[in-house]
Amino acid sequence: MQYHILDKIHSPQDVKALPEAQIQPLLGEIRSFLVEHVTKTGGHLASNLGVVELTVALHRVFSVPQDRIIFDVGHQCYVHKLLTGRREAFDTLRQNGGLSGFPKPSESPCDPFISGHSSTSVSIASGFAEADRLLGRERYTIAVVGDGAYTGGLIHEALNNVRPGEHLIVVLNENEMSISPNTGKFAEYLARLRSTDRYFNFKRIVRTALGKLPLIGRPLVRRVTHVKQNVKSIIYRSNYIEDLGFQYLGPIDGNDYSRLYSLLEQAKLLHDNVVVHIKTKKGLGYLPAEKAPDRFHSVAPQDEQKTGQITFSKLFGETLAEAMHADDTLVAITAAMPDGTGLSEVAKRFPERFYDIGIAEAHAVTFSAGLAAAGIHPVFAVYSSFLQRAYDNLLHDVGILSEPVTLCIDRAGFNEGDGVTHHGIFDVAFLAHLHALRLYAPVREADARIAFAEAFAARCPCAVRYARGGEHTEMLQGLAPVADTHLLMTAEKNCDVIFITYGNELAQVQKAAEHLRADGIRTAIITAQLLFPAEQSFAELAGAISGLSENAPILFAEEGIKNGGYGMLMQNRCYESGMLRVRKSEIVAIENPTLQSEPGRSMYQTAKIDGDTLYCRAKALLSAKQNT
């Protein structure tokens, strides 16, 4: 397609310089570009189509990057990336080494902060705004927040602690659920009135005139303001935002560019903390996404859209539904992710025992602990990277009393499409601290069914972790179950080197083993599908290792962090048992995060442990053994 106006946009300054007559055509071109590219590369489509007018208006009213735009979650930042010089890289969107699907400071100074989790934006933005106040800088910070983020407690903590007059503008983008307190035609009329230039000019004139009256001026301004607030509270019933000290503008149609531009201009002129309430339509401009915004919230890359493979997420949902049919004490919990975690069918079949608690993972865990203490068996389905947000709740509310809460941890391991904010590489290390926890890591569909069934029936904390997608047949080549254990293992007993791994890192281990065998090096692979309790997991490993070559070195390969991870835990037990007196060993996992430097800052990067790396480390381990 031809993009005559978009072709001229290489920076925020180009957006500000466009003649007004070219804005509407630009909006259309942006939507066409998003549909053309995102349906191929995969990514968040509906949410970005809904904020086209908003993003263009923000870039016209404010001066980026001096003024900062902080996107909550960040998945709606594609239009912002288009307008800030990253259009040429859109073919690499959400690919390893390509353009991130979320704001990323290393890509552009126009991305002031990393984001990928919800409800963080107002806290971050208030930090920037407070720094400006302390340093005497005249800048604006804008937080763009979807209404769903307001189900997370962090937003409310931030709003409650913002100082007056910080030049902080919060754009509340309501696109799914209504949180607006005002109803009726009169309230709508007032909302329209309060978004006009005449309203603000009149308000300023009255305040200035009254304030100049000797003696009674300031008290009169306060009294008039108090009366106005009371009248407004009667009409609006309540305005939580203004009670917290924010000026409140809206709600207006956020897809009406002219009105939106005018309202943002007014917010800027107030020189105060302002909430701008807008309503947008997800998927606007692309009919399939307008009709089914949930289906087009995130679309798969074109080459993945017709695989038909049963995923672990779907398998989990089916297994849980069967178990809930047989056990009335089982309940399902999700943090605003019923589709992503495979719980849609459970929600339809068991509405009274299904809880979508919003973007509030910490609450979900403690809520689960309360249910468990009262005799209900809760099953909380959550992405690995989002479970991090409930670490304290896991330790304090589940761990101390060993409450029988089941965690079904989706997207475990690397998730290249979503990038560093969504990598599930920490859960094994932090779950190791939970007393009496059983942690499963199935890689086969049959073993996943068994793991789910055991977890749903257990009377202790349990977790099942699994990667995005489903069983990979090629990854399982040459592996067979070891009787009376949770292990998969190759049949090669007389080996030169032993790999111990779990999860999707098995695929890279298989590649390394293939290279080693080509060099004439015999390789055994052990895949653990029960990681904790550590005692049981080590006993199973020790039994398997005892049947292999007596002095073959062991290489632990882990798609997770090294410090406190499974490899470190098992290696320590190997040392304690005396097993490593005749063997060398090494852990190959994600080291302490490496720093990627850029002007004025750095951010940690995580690199997948690939087959070539494992091959080289195995060769080095064998060489060290021979030298010894």
Side-chain angles (χ1 to χ4, degrees):
M1 293 187 66
Q2 298 295 311
Y3 300 103
H4 301 292
I5 300 173
L6 197 54
D7 283 343
K8 304 174 187 176
I9 305 296
H10 305 288
S11 70
Q13 291 72 34
D14 294 334
V15 183
K16 292 176 79 72
L18 278 180
E20 193 66 32
Q22 293 187 359
I23 297 300
Q24 287 300 330
L26 173 65
L27 302 176
E29 287 189 11
I30 290 172
R31 284 197 165 90
S32 297
F33 184 94
L34 289 174
V35 171
E36 179 186 358
H37 285 76
V38 178
T39 52
K40 292 178 183 175
T41 63
H44 294 90
L45 182 58
S47 51
N48 281 283
L49 290 171
V51 297
V52 174
E53 287 82 4
L54 171 62
T55 311
V56 172
L58 286 171
H59 277 275
R60 297 275 284 180
V61 172
F62 299 97
S63 298
V64 176
Q66 290 80 16
D67 298 328
R68 306 83 157 203
I69 304 173
I70 310 288
F71 291 94
D72 203 270
V73 183
H75 61 248
Q76 75 282 51
C77 71
Y78 295 5
V79 184
H80 168 74
K81 293 199 175 198
L82 278 178
L83 302 179
T84 53
R86 286 170 274 183
R87 180 191 155 190
E88 298 301 322
F90 252 77
D91 286 338
T92 69
L93 181 70
R94 300 179 80 248
Q95 296 171 28
N96 194 19
L99 196 65
S100 172
F102 297 87
K104 192 174 182 182
S106 59
E107 285 183 3
S108 169
C110 297
D111 292 359
F113 206 86
I114 193 79
S115 68
H117 292 184
S118 179
S119 309
T120 63
S121 61
V122 179
S123 296
I124 295 163
S126 66
F128 276 105
E130 177 65 8
D132 289 340
R133 188 188 70 81
L134 292 170
L135 298 172
R137 297 185 299 218
E138 283 292 319
R139 297 182 181 179
Y140 292 88
T141 308
I142 305 97
V144 179
V145 189
D147 52 348
Y150 279 76
T151 60
L154 192 61
I155 284 279
H156 303 279
E157 294 173 28
L159 290 170
N160 186 51
N161 284 281
V162 173
R163 285 174 176 261
E166 284 196 332
H167 292 191
L168 171 63
I169 296 172
V170 178
V171 178
L172 166 54
N173 177 23
E174 185 182 343
N175 53 28
E176 284 186 333
M177 68 177 192
S178 177
I179 65 169
S180 174
N182 51 317
T183 56
K185 295 296 181 184
F186 188 46
E188 290 176 12
Y189 168 74
L190 283 182
R192 287 197 300 272
L193 172 67
R194 296 172 75 218
S195 65
T196 63
D197 292 342
R198 286 179 297 170
Y199 171 80
F200 288 100
N201 290 334
F202 178 73
K203 186 176 176 180
R204 278 194 294 270
I205 291 168
V206 170
R207 272 182 171 274
T208 303
L210 291 177
K212 289 180 178 178
L213 293 175
L215 299 178
I216 64 168
R218 288 179 181 274
L220 190 56
V221 168
R222 286 195 295 268
R223 183 62 182 165
V224 169
T225 300
H226 180 67
V227 170
K228 185 196 75 170
Q229 295 283 11
N230 285 340
V231 171
K232 194 162 59 181
S233 292
I234 292 169
I235 295 166
Y236 282 77
R237 289 193 251 173
S238 171
N239 197 318
Y240 164 69
I241 298 298
E242 290 191 336
D243 289 344
L244 290 172
F246 283 78
Q247 303 256 22
Y248 174 83
L249 306 180
I252 64 162
D253 180 357
N255 296 122
D256 183 335
Y257 174 80
S258 297
R259 287 190 68 198
L260 179 58
Y261 179 88
S262 175
L263 197 65
L264 290 172
E265 283 277 22
Q266 295 299 340
K268 184 178 180 181
L269 290 172
L270 288 173
H271 299 286
D272 200 356
N273 299 326
V274 185
V275 168
V276 177
H277 184 175
I278 67 173
K279 298 187 177 187
T280 60
K281 185 176 180 61
K282 273 191 170 183
L284 186 64
Y286 183 50
L287 193 57
E290 286 186 38
K291 289 182 175 179
D294 53 340
R295 277 187 49 225
F296 286 87
H297 171 73
S298 181
V299 296
Q302 203 169 55
D303 57 358
E304 291 182 15
Q305 289 175 11
K306 296 181 179 178
T307 61
Q309 180 193 33
I310 183 168
T311 65
F312 285 123
S313 305
K314 185 177 180 182
L315 181 66
F316 155 66
E318 291 175 353
T319 310
L320 179 57
E322 293 168 7
M324 288 176 72
H325 182 74
D327 183 352
D328 290 342
T329 67
L330 279 169
V331 300
I333 301 167
T334 181
M337 299 289 289
D339 295 324
T341 57
L343 285 176
S344 297
E345 188 60 31
V346 169
K348 291 176 186 174
R349 288 180 58 183
F350 305 97
E352 292 299 314
R353 289 191 279 148
F354 171 78
Y355 304 90
D356 185 345
I357 49 79
I359 303 171
E361 293 84 359
H363 164 61
V365 169
T366 300
F367 173 54
S368 297
L371 286 168
I376 298 295
H377 190 149
V379 178
F380 176 33
V382 60
Y383 285 10
S384 173
S385 63
F386 299 155
L387 183 61
Q388 296 161 193
R389 313 183 81 181
Y391 181 47
D392 172 67
N393 309 75
L394 285 166
L395 292 181
H396 186 272
D397 304 324
V398 174
I400 292 176
L401 294 175
S402 296
E403 296 291 358
V405 171
T406 295
L407 306 170
C408 290
I409 306 172
D410 208 325
R411 290 353 185 236
F414 273 84
N415 295 286
E416 282 93 346
D418 289 322
V420 67
T421 59
H422 284 61
H423 290 333
I425 57 175
F426 300 101
D427 59 277
V428 172
F430 69 69
L431 287 172
H433 304 154
L434 262 69
H435 176 66
L437 174 82
R438 294 184 68 79
L439 175 60
Y440 300 86
V443 291
R444 297 195 313 171
E445 184 180 316
D447 295 317
R449 290 184 187 277
I450 294 169
F452 288 134
E454 289 185 9
F456 299 156
R459 299 307 301 165
C460 64
C462 284
V464 185
R465 74 186 304 271
Y466 41 94
R468 184 177 181 227
E471 179 183 297
H472 298 286
T473 306
E474 68 283 359
M475 188 171 81
L476 300 168
Q477 292 285 337
L479 293 173
V482 178
D484 301 320
T485 73
H486 297 80
L487 302 176
L488 299 176
M489 187 174 171
T490 56
E492 201 163 0
K493 304 292 183 186
N494 189 20
C495 58
D496 300 308
V497 64
I498 303 166
F499 281 100
I500 297 175
T501 190
Y502 66 87
N504 268 3
E505 188 60 25
L506 174 59
Q508 303 305 320
V509 168
Q510 289 281 29
K511 290 178 183 177
E514 187 178 335
H515 295 325
L516 290 166
R517 287 170 189 141
D519 290 348
I521 298 169
R522 297 162 299 183
T523 306
I525 300 172
I526 302 173
T527 297
Q529 296 187 103
L530 176 72
L531 307 187
F532 306 133
E535 296 81 4
Q536 182 178 350
S537 185
F538 175 69
E540 292 183 358
L541 281 179
I545 294 169
S546 66
L548 300 174
S549 300
E550 188 175 283
N551 62 350
I554 301 172
L555 197 147
F556 296 92
E558 186 164 9
E559 194 180 60
I561 61 168
K562 180 175 182 178
N563 289 339
Y566 178 74
M568 184 173 284
L569 191 62
M570 291 299 108
Q571 186 188 55
N572 286 343
R573 290 183 178 263
C574 287
Y575 275 120
E576 291 167 0
S577 71
M579 187 184 295
L580 297 185
R581 288 176 190 157
V582 293
R583 301 180 192 271
K584 285 194 169 291
S585 74
E586 186 180 358
I587 303 167
V588 184
I590 298 164
E591 302 283 348
N592 292 331
T594 56
L595 293 179
Q596 172 181 312
S597 296
E598 56 180 281
R601 68 174 64 200
S602 59
M603 64 179 288
Y604 82 78
Q605 302 289 308
T606 50
K608 191 163 189 167
I609 310 298
D610 61 24
D612 291 337
T613 300
L614 293 174
Y615 166 73
C616 293
R617 297 287 278 271
K619 293 276 280 190
L621 193 59
L622 285 166
S623 177
K625 172 198 162 189
Q626 290 165 0
N627 291 335
T628 302

